[in-house]
PDB file of all heavy atoms in Angstrom:
ATOM      1  N   THR N   1     -93.177 -28.908 -55.392  1.00  0.00           N
ATOM      2  CA  THR N   1     -92.445 -29.400 -54.225  1.00  0.00           C
ATOM      3  C   THR N   1     -92.672 -30.892 -54.068  1.00  0.00           C
ATOM      4  O   THR N   1     -91.738 -31.575 -53.679  1.00  0.00           O
ATOM      5  CB  THR N   1     -92.888 -28.652 -52.983  1.00  0.00           C
ATOM      6  OG1 THR N   1     -94.305 -28.669 -52.776  1.00  0.00           O
ATOM      7  CG2 THR N   1     -92.508 -27.172 -53.074  1.00  0.00           C
ATOM      8  N   ALA N   2     -93.974 -31.405 -54.261  1.00  0.00           N
ATOM      9  CA  ALA N   2     -94.189 -32.788 -54.117  1.00  0.00           C
ATOM     10  C   ALA N   2     -93.484 -33.562 -55.200  1.00  0.00           C
ATOM     11  O   ALA N   2     -92.856 -34.681 -54.942  1.00  0.00           O
ATOM     12  CB  ALA N   2     -95.654 -33.067 -54.145  1.00  0.00           C
ATOM     13  N   ALA N   3     -93.534 -33.061 -56.397  1.00  0.00           N
ATOM     14  CA  ALA N   3     -92.936 -33.797 -57.584  1.00  0.00           C
ATOM     15  C   ALA N   3     -91.352 -33.775 -57.361  1.00  0.00           C
ATOM     16  O   ALA N   3     -90.628 -34.811 -57.704  1.00  0.00           O
ATOM     17  CB  ALA N   3     -93.204 -33.049 -58.860  1.00  0.00           C
ATOM     18  N   MET N   4     -90.730 -32.732 -56.867  1.00  0.00           N
ATOM     19  CA  MET N   4     -89.277 -32.558 -56.621  1.00  0.00           C
ATOM     20  C   MET N   4     -88.938 -33.659 -55.549  1.00  0.00           C
ATOM     21  O   MET N   4     -87.946 -34.384 -55.640  1.00  0.00           O
ATOM     22  CB  MET N   4     -88.920 -31.174 -56.211  1.00  0.00           C
ATOM     23  CG  MET N   4     -87.388 -31.089 -55.816  1.00  0.00           C
ATOM     24  SD  MET N   4     -86.942 -29.373 -55.596  1.00  0.00           S
ATOM     25  CE  MET N   4     -87.997 -28.927 -54.246  1.00  0.00           C
ATOM     26  N   THR N   5     -89.679 -33.741 -54.476  1.00  0.00           N
ATOM     27  CA  THR N   5     -89.400 -34.688 -53.370  1.00  0.00           C
ATOM     28  C   THR N   5     -89.447 -36.036 -53.913  1.00  0.00           C
ATOM     29  O   THR N   5     -88.532 -36.890 -53.630  1.00  0.00           O
ATOM     30  CB  THR N   5     -90.379 -34.406 -52.240  1.00  0.00           C
ATOM     31  OG1 THR N   5     -90.351 -33.119 -51.782  1.00  0.00           O
ATOM     32  CG2 THR N   5     -90.091 -35.449 -51.140  1.00  0.00           C
ATOM     33  N   ASN N   6     -90.527 -36.433 -54.633  1.00  0.00           N
ATOM     34  CA  ASN N   6     -90.566 -37.692 -55.218  1.00  0.00           C
ATOM     35  C   ASN N   6     -89.512 -38.132 -56.248  1.00  0.00           C
ATOM     36  O   ASN N   6     -88.898 -39.114 -56.184  1.00  0.00           O
ATOM     37  CB  ASN N   6     -91.938 -37.813 -55.922  1.00  0.00           C
ATOM     38  CG  ASN N   6     -92.201 -39.242 -56.405  1.00  0.00           C
ATOM     39  OD1 ASN N   6     -92.550 -40.154 -55.727  1.00  0.00           O
ATOM     40  ND2 ASN N   6     -92.070 -39.442 -57.822  1.00  0.00           N
ATOM     41  N   ALA N   7     -89.077 -37.062 -57.002  1.00  0.00           N
ATOM     42  CA  ALA N   7     -88.017 -37.334 -58.016  1.00  0.00           C
ATOM     43  C   ALA N   7     -86.670 -37.542 -57.403  1.00  0.00           C
ATOM     44  O   ALA N   7     -85.909 -38.343 -57.820  1.00  0.00           O
ATOM     45  CB  ALA N   7     -87.994 -36.064 -59.016  1.00  0.00           C
ATOM     46  N   ILE N   8     -86.393 -36.787 -56.262  1.00  0.00           N
ATOM     47  CA  ILE N   8     -85.146 -36.931 -55.624  1.00  0.00           C
ATOM     48  C   ILE N   8     -84.987 -38.243 -54.976  1.00  0.00           C
ATOM     49  O   ILE N   8     -84.029 -39.015 -55.131  1.00  0.00           O
ATOM     50  CB  ILE N   8     -85.053 -35.735 -54.431  1.00  0.00           C
ATOM     51  CG1 ILE N   8     -84.761 -34.454 -55.220  1.00  0.00           C
ATOM     52  CG2 ILE N   8     -83.775 -36.110 -53.671  1.00  0.00           C
ATOM     53  CD1 ILE N   8     -84.827 -33.311 -54.198  1.00  0.00           C
ATOM     54  N   GLY N   9     -86.155 -38.771 -54.446  1.00  0.00           N
ATOM     55  CA  GLY N   9     -86.169 -40.081 -53.881  1.00  0.00           C
ATOM     56  C   GLY N   9     -85.896 -41.098 -54.894  1.00  0.00           C
ATOM     57  O   GLY N   9     -85.176 -42.071 -54.754  1.00  0.00           O
ATOM     58  N   ASP N  10     -86.612 -40.963 -56.037  1.00  0.00           N
ATOM     59  CA  ASP N  10     -86.494 -41.846 -57.067  1.00  0.00           C
ATOM     60  C   ASP N  10     -85.072 -41.933 -57.653  1.00  0.00           C
ATOM     61  O   ASP N  10     -84.500 -42.996 -58.019  1.00  0.00           O
ATOM     62  CB  ASP N  10     -87.451 -41.643 -58.283  1.00  0.00           C
ATOM     63  CG  ASP N  10     -88.823 -42.140 -57.948  1.00  0.00           C
ATOM     64  OD1 ASP N  10     -89.005 -42.959 -56.926  1.00  0.00           O
ATOM     65  OD2 ASP N  10     -89.853 -41.771 -58.691  1.00  0.00           O
ATOM     66  N   TYR N  11     -84.475 -40.786 -57.796  1.00  0.00           N
ATOM     67  CA  TYR N  11     -83.120 -40.570 -58.347  1.00  0.00           C
ATOM     68  C   TYR N  11     -82.120 -41.292 -57.497  1.00  0.00           C
ATOM     69  O   TYR N  11     -81.414 -42.170 -58.014  1.00  0.00           O
ATOM     70  CB  TYR N  11     -82.799 -39.092 -58.494  1.00  0.00           C
ATOM     71  CG  TYR N  11     -81.486 -38.761 -58.905  1.00  0.00           C
ATOM     72  CD1 TYR N  11     -80.748 -39.546 -59.659  1.00  0.00           C
ATOM     73  CD2 TYR N  11     -80.856 -37.605 -58.438  1.00  0.00           C
ATOM     74  CE1 TYR N  11     -79.375 -39.176 -60.132  1.00  0.00           C
ATOM     75  CE2 TYR N  11     -79.547 -37.185 -58.742  1.00  0.00           C
ATOM     76  CZ  TYR N  11     -78.838 -38.069 -59.621  1.00  0.00           C
ATOM     77  OH  TYR N  11     -77.525 -37.693 -59.946  1.00  0.00           O
ATOM     78  N   PHE N  12     -82.112 -41.128 -56.268  1.00  0.00           N
ATOM     79  CA  PHE N  12     -81.138 -41.748 -55.379  1.00  0.00           C
ATOM     80  C   PHE N  12     -81.434 -43.190 -55.192  1.00  0.00           C
ATOM     81  O   PHE N  12     -80.418 -44.042 -55.124  1.00  0.00           O
ATOM     82  CB  PHE N  12     -81.128 -41.054 -53.967  1.00  0.00           C
ATOM     83  CG  PHE N  12     -80.276 -39.779 -53.926  1.00  0.00           C
ATOM     84  CD1 PHE N  12     -81.031 -38.593 -54.008  1.00  0.00           C
ATOM     85  CD2 PHE N  12     -79.026 -39.807 -53.849  1.00  0.00           C
ATOM     86  CE1 PHE N  12     -80.326 -37.304 -54.099  1.00  0.00           C
ATOM     87  CE2 PHE N  12     -78.241 -38.527 -53.861  1.00  0.00           C
ATOM     88  CZ  PHE N  12     -78.944 -37.409 -53.938  1.00  0.00           C
ATOM     89  N   ALA N  13     -82.622 -43.627 -55.220  1.00  0.00           N
ATOM     90  CA  ALA N  13     -83.008 -45.044 -55.107  1.00  0.00           C
ATOM     91  C   ALA N  13     -82.520 -45.846 -56.258  1.00  0.00           C
ATOM     92  O   ALA N  13     -82.250 -47.014 -56.180  1.00  0.00           O
ATOM     93  CB  ALA N  13     -84.446 -45.226 -54.750  1.00  0.00           C
ATOM     94  N   ASN N  14     -82.567 -45.245 -57.413  1.00  0.00           N
ATOM     95  CA  ASN N  14     -82.360 -46.009 -58.767  1.00  0.00           C
ATOM     96  C   ASN N  14     -81.108 -45.516 -59.419  1.00  0.00           C
ATOM     97  O   ASN N  14     -80.885 -45.862 -60.611  1.00  0.00           O
ATOM     98  CB  ASN N  14     -83.559 -45.760 -59.654  1.00  0.00           C
ATOM     99  CG  ASN N  14     -84.791 -46.351 -59.144  1.00  0.00           C
ATOM    100  OD1 ASN N  14     -85.098 -47.511 -59.181  1.00  0.00           O
ATOM    101  ND2 ASN N  14     -85.651 -45.515 -58.452  1.00  0.00           N
ATOM    102  N   MET N  15     -80.259 -44.782 -58.776  1.00  0.00           N
ATOM    103  CA  MET N  15     -79.094 -44.159 -59.483  1.00  0.00           C
ATOM    104  C   MET N  15     -78.169 -45.285 -60.106  1.00  0.00           C
ATOM    105  O   MET N  15     -77.841 -45.136 -61.235  1.00  0.00           O
ATOM    106  CB  MET N  15     -78.289 -43.297 -58.551  1.00  0.00           C
ATOM    107  CG  MET N  15     -77.103 -42.628 -59.260  1.00  0.00           C
ATOM    108  SD  MET N  15     -76.043 -41.718 -58.026  1.00  0.00           S
ATOM    109  CE  MET N  15     -77.210 -40.535 -57.315  1.00  0.00           C
ATOM    110  N   MET N  16     -77.797 -46.225 -59.393  1.00  0.00           N
ATOM    111  CA  MET N  16     -76.856 -47.236 -59.871  1.00  0.00           C
ATOM    112  C   MET N  16     -77.551 -48.023 -61.097  1.00  0.00           C
ATOM    113  O   MET N  16     -76.915 -48.278 -62.100  1.00  0.00           O
ATOM    114  CB  MET N  16     -76.412 -48.217 -58.806  1.00  0.00           C
ATOM    115  CG  MET N  16     -75.388 -49.285 -59.272  1.00  0.00           C
ATOM    116  SD  MET N  16     -73.910 -48.362 -59.999  1.00  0.00           S
ATOM    117  CE  MET N  16     -73.299 -47.628 -58.614  1.00  0.00           C
ATOM    118  N   GLY N  17     -78.802 -48.374 -60.950  1.00  0.00           N
ATOM    119  CA  GLY N  17     -79.427 -49.118 -62.000  1.00  0.00           C
ATOM    120  C   GLY N  17     -79.568 -48.195 -63.245  1.00  0.00           C
ATOM    121  O   GLY N  17     -79.290 -48.688 -64.362  1.00  0.00           O
ATOM    122  N   MET N  18     -79.864 -46.947 -63.166  1.00  0.00           N
ATOM    123  CA  MET N  18     -79.842 -46.119 -64.260  1.00  0.00           C
ATOM    124  C   MET N  18     -78.529 -45.862 -64.878  1.00  0.00           C
ATOM    125  O   MET N  18     -78.369 -45.528 -66.144  1.00  0.00           O
ATOM    126  CB  MET N  18     -80.489 -44.727 -63.957  1.00  0.00           C
ATOM    127  CG  MET N  18     -82.017 -44.871 -63.522  1.00  0.00           C
ATOM    128  SD  MET N  18     -82.814 -43.173 -63.320  1.00  0.00           S
ATOM    129  CE  MET N  18     -81.949 -42.644 -61.848  1.00  0.00           C
ATOM    130  N   SER N  19     -77.452 -45.854 -64.075  1.00  0.00           N
ATOM    131  CA  SER N  19     -76.186 -45.581 -64.568  1.00  0.00           C
ATOM    132  C   SER N  19     -75.559 -46.618 -65.522  1.00  0.00           C
ATOM    133  O   SER N  19     -74.838 -46.234 -66.397  1.00  0.00           O
ATOM    134  CB  SER N  19     -75.156 -45.513 -63.354  1.00  0.00           C
ATOM    135  OG  SER N  19     -75.605 -44.393 -62.368  1.00  0.00           O
ATOM    136  N   LEU N  20     -76.031 -47.873 -65.412  1.00  0.00           N
ATOM    137  CA  LEU N  20     -75.444 -48.952 -66.113  1.00  0.00           C
ATOM    138  C   LEU N  20     -76.480 -49.635 -66.905  1.00  0.00           C
ATOM    139  O   LEU N  20     -76.208 -50.886 -67.276  1.00  0.00           O
ATOM    140  CB  LEU N  20     -74.641 -49.813 -65.187  1.00  0.00           C
ATOM    141  CG  LEU N  20     -73.442 -49.185 -64.391  1.00  0.00           C
ATOM    142  CD1 LEU N  20     -72.755 -50.235 -63.593  1.00  0.00           C
ATOM    143  CD2 LEU N  20     -72.442 -48.572 -65.376  1.00  0.00           C
ATOM    144  N   VAL N  21     -77.530 -49.101 -67.246  1.00  0.00           N
ATOM    145  CA  VAL N  21     -78.620 -49.825 -67.877  1.00  0.00           C
ATOM    146  C   VAL N  21     -78.443 -49.828 -69.421  1.00  0.00           C
ATOM    147  O   VAL N  21     -78.040 -48.828 -70.025  1.00  0.00           O
ATOM    148  CB  VAL N  21     -79.976 -49.286 -67.548  1.00  0.00           C
ATOM    149  CG1 VAL N  21     -80.117 -47.847 -68.037  1.00  0.00           C
ATOM    150  CG2 VAL N  21     -81.159 -50.178 -68.105  1.00  0.00           C
ATOM    151  N   MET N  22     -78.624 -50.915 -70.100  1.00  0.00           N
ATOM    152  CA  MET N  22     -78.615 -51.034 -71.518  1.00  0.00           C
ATOM    153  C   MET N  22     -79.590 -51.971 -71.937  1.00  0.00           C
ATOM    154  O   MET N  22     -80.341 -52.643 -71.143  1.00  0.00           O
ATOM    155  CB  MET N  22     -77.187 -51.462 -72.078  1.00  0.00           C
ATOM    156  CG  MET N  22     -76.085 -50.486 -71.764  1.00  0.00           C
ATOM    157  SD  MET N  22     -74.655 -50.668 -72.834  1.00  0.00           S
ATOM    158  CE  MET N  22     -75.191 -50.103 -74.404  1.00  0.00           C
ATOM    159  N   THR N  23     -79.893 -52.113 -73.274  1.00  0.00           N
ATOM    160  CA  THR N  23     -81.020 -52.877 -73.712  1.00  0.00           C
ATOM    161  C   THR N  23     -80.604 -53.858 -74.762  1.00  0.00           C
ATOM    162  O   THR N  23     -81.003 -53.930 -75.980  1.00  0.00           O
ATOM    163  CB  THR N  23     -82.008 -51.950 -74.344  1.00  0.00           C
ATOM    164  OG1 THR N  23     -81.467 -51.225 -75.481  1.00  0.00           O
ATOM    165  CG2 THR N  23     -82.661 -51.055 -73.322  1.00  0.00           C
ATOM    166  N   PRO N  24     -79.709 -54.871 -74.350  1.00  0.00           N
ATOM    167  CA  PRO N  24     -79.229 -55.958 -75.274  1.00  0.00           C
ATOM    168  C   PRO N  24     -80.372 -56.932 -75.754  1.00  0.00           C
ATOM    169  O   PRO N  24     -80.232 -57.584 -76.739  1.00  0.00           O
ATOM    170  CB  PRO N  24     -78.049 -56.644 -74.527  1.00  0.00           C
ATOM    171  CG  PRO N  24     -78.494 -56.507 -72.997  1.00  0.00           C
ATOM    172  CD  PRO N  24     -79.052 -55.112 -73.070  1.00  0.00           C
ATOM    173  N   TYR N  25     -81.494 -57.012 -74.883  1.00  0.00           N
ATOM    174  CA  TYR N  25     -82.401 -58.043 -75.157  1.00  0.00           C
ATOM    175  C   TYR N  25     -83.579 -57.540 -76.026  1.00  0.00           C
ATOM    176  O   TYR N  25     -84.265 -58.439 -76.587  1.00  0.00           O
ATOM    177  CB  TYR N  25     -83.052 -58.594 -73.849  1.00  0.00           C
ATOM    178  CG  TYR N  25     -81.914 -59.101 -72.805  1.00  0.00           C
ATOM    179  CD1 TYR N  25     -81.645 -58.383 -71.640  1.00  0.00           C
ATOM    180  CD2 TYR N  25     -81.163 -60.196 -73.152  1.00  0.00           C
ATOM    181  CE1 TYR N  25     -80.698 -58.729 -70.737  1.00  0.00           C
ATOM    182  CE2 TYR N  25     -80.092 -60.569 -72.300  1.00  0.00           C
ATOM    183  CZ  TYR N  25     -79.864 -59.829 -71.087  1.00  0.00           C
ATOM    184  OH  TYR N  25     -78.897 -60.246 -70.317  1.00  0.00           O
ATOM    185  N   THR N  26     -83.731 -56.271 -76.141  1.00  0.00           N
ATOM    186  CA  THR N  26     -84.789 -55.741 -76.913  1.00  0.00           C
ATOM    187  C   THR N  26     -84.309 -54.932 -78.154  1.00  0.00           C
ATOM    188  O   THR N  26     -85.111 -54.627 -79.062  1.00  0.00           O
ATOM    189  CB  THR N  26     -85.676 -54.763 -76.025  1.00  0.00           C
ATOM    190  OG1 THR N  26     -84.798 -53.697 -75.574  1.00  0.00           O
ATOM    191  CG2 THR N  26     -86.159 -55.543 -74.833  1.00  0.00           C
ATOM    192  N   GLY N  27     -83.040 -54.485 -78.152  1.00  0.00           N
ATOM    193  CA  GLY N  27     -82.531 -53.622 -79.193  1.00  0.00           C
ATOM    194  C   GLY N  27     -83.067 -52.205 -79.139  1.00  0.00           C
ATOM    195  O   GLY N  27     -82.937 -51.437 -80.170  1.00  0.00           O
ATOM    196  N   ASP N  28     -83.695 -51.792 -78.098  1.00  0.00           N
ATOM    197  CA  ASP N  28     -84.211 -50.429 -77.980  1.00  0.00           C
ATOM    198  C   ASP N  28     -82.975 -49.462 -78.011  1.00  0.00           C
ATOM    199  O   ASP N  28     -81.987 -49.659 -77.393  1.00  0.00           O
ATOM    200  CB  ASP N  28     -84.967 -50.301 -76.614  1.00  0.00           C
ATOM    201  CG  ASP N  28     -85.776 -49.056 -76.607  1.00  0.00           C
ATOM    202  OD1 ASP N  28     -85.440 -48.057 -77.300  1.00  0.00           O
ATOM    203  OD2 ASP N  28     -86.697 -48.952 -75.766  1.00  0.00           O
ATOM    204  N   ASP N  29     -83.141 -48.328 -78.718  1.00  0.00           N
ATOM    205  CA  ASP N  29     -82.043 -47.394 -78.830  1.00  0.00           C
ATOM    206  C   ASP N  29     -82.175 -46.139 -77.949  1.00  0.00           C
ATOM    207  O   ASP N  29     -81.671 -45.095 -78.157  1.00  0.00           O
ATOM    208  CB  ASP N  29     -81.982 -46.894 -80.267  1.00  0.00           C
ATOM    209  CG  ASP N  29     -83.131 -46.108 -80.727  1.00  0.00           C
ATOM    210  OD1 ASP N  29     -84.247 -46.176 -80.070  1.00  0.00           O
ATOM    211  OD2 ASP N  29     -83.007 -45.428 -81.755  1.00  0.00           O
ATOM    212  N   TRP N  30     -83.101 -46.309 -76.861  1.00  0.00           N
ATOM    213  CA  TRP N  30     -83.384 -45.174 -76.019  1.00  0.00           C
ATOM    214  C   TRP N  30     -82.095 -44.671 -75.272  1.00  0.00           C
ATOM    215  O   TRP N  30     -81.905 -43.469 -75.198  1.00  0.00           O
ATOM    216  CB  TRP N  30     -84.495 -45.585 -74.955  1.00  0.00           C
ATOM    217  CG  TRP N  30     -84.955 -44.440 -74.103  1.00  0.00           C
ATOM    218  CD1 TRP N  30     -86.016 -43.595 -74.476  1.00  0.00           C
ATOM    219  CD2 TRP N  30     -84.412 -43.861 -72.872  1.00  0.00           C
ATOM    220  NE1 TRP N  30     -86.132 -42.651 -73.484  1.00  0.00           N
ATOM    221  CE2 TRP N  30     -85.089 -42.840 -72.567  1.00  0.00           C
ATOM    222  CE3 TRP N  30     -83.335 -44.286 -72.112  1.00  0.00           C
ATOM    223  CZ2 TRP N  30     -84.852 -42.006 -71.391  1.00  0.00           C
ATOM    224  CZ3 TRP N  30     -83.046 -43.464 -71.016  1.00  0.00           C
ATOM    225  CH2 TRP N  30     -83.853 -42.413 -70.637  1.00  0.00           C
ATOM    226  N   VAL N  31     -81.329 -45.625 -74.701  1.00  0.00           N
ATOM    227  CA  VAL N  31     -80.065 -45.232 -74.090  1.00  0.00           C
ATOM    228  C   VAL N  31     -79.216 -44.440 -75.014  1.00  0.00           C
ATOM    229  O   VAL N  31     -78.566 -43.359 -74.583  1.00  0.00           O
ATOM    230  CB  VAL N  31     -79.334 -46.484 -73.514  1.00  0.00           C
ATOM    231  CG1 VAL N  31     -78.076 -46.133 -72.894  1.00  0.00           C
ATOM    232  CG2 VAL N  31     -80.214 -47.238 -72.554  1.00  0.00           C
TER     233      VAL N  31
END
């Protein structure tokens, strides 16, 4: 329950940033 609460808060707080993040400066292929 604690992890879920924390994850929901992180999800909504960072949704836009995660939606459009890419790595042109490092070449990382994680995305």
Side-chain angles (χ1 to χ4, degrees):
T1 54
M4 178 171 61
T5 303
N6 185 74
I8 292 173
D10 280 349
Y11 174 30
F12 281 98
N14 298 278
M15 183 185 300
M16 185 54 66
M18 292 187 293
S19 299
L20 301 177
V21 66
M22 295 198 75
T23 55
Y25 308 112
T26 63
D28 192 342
D29 65 345
W30 189 91
V31 175

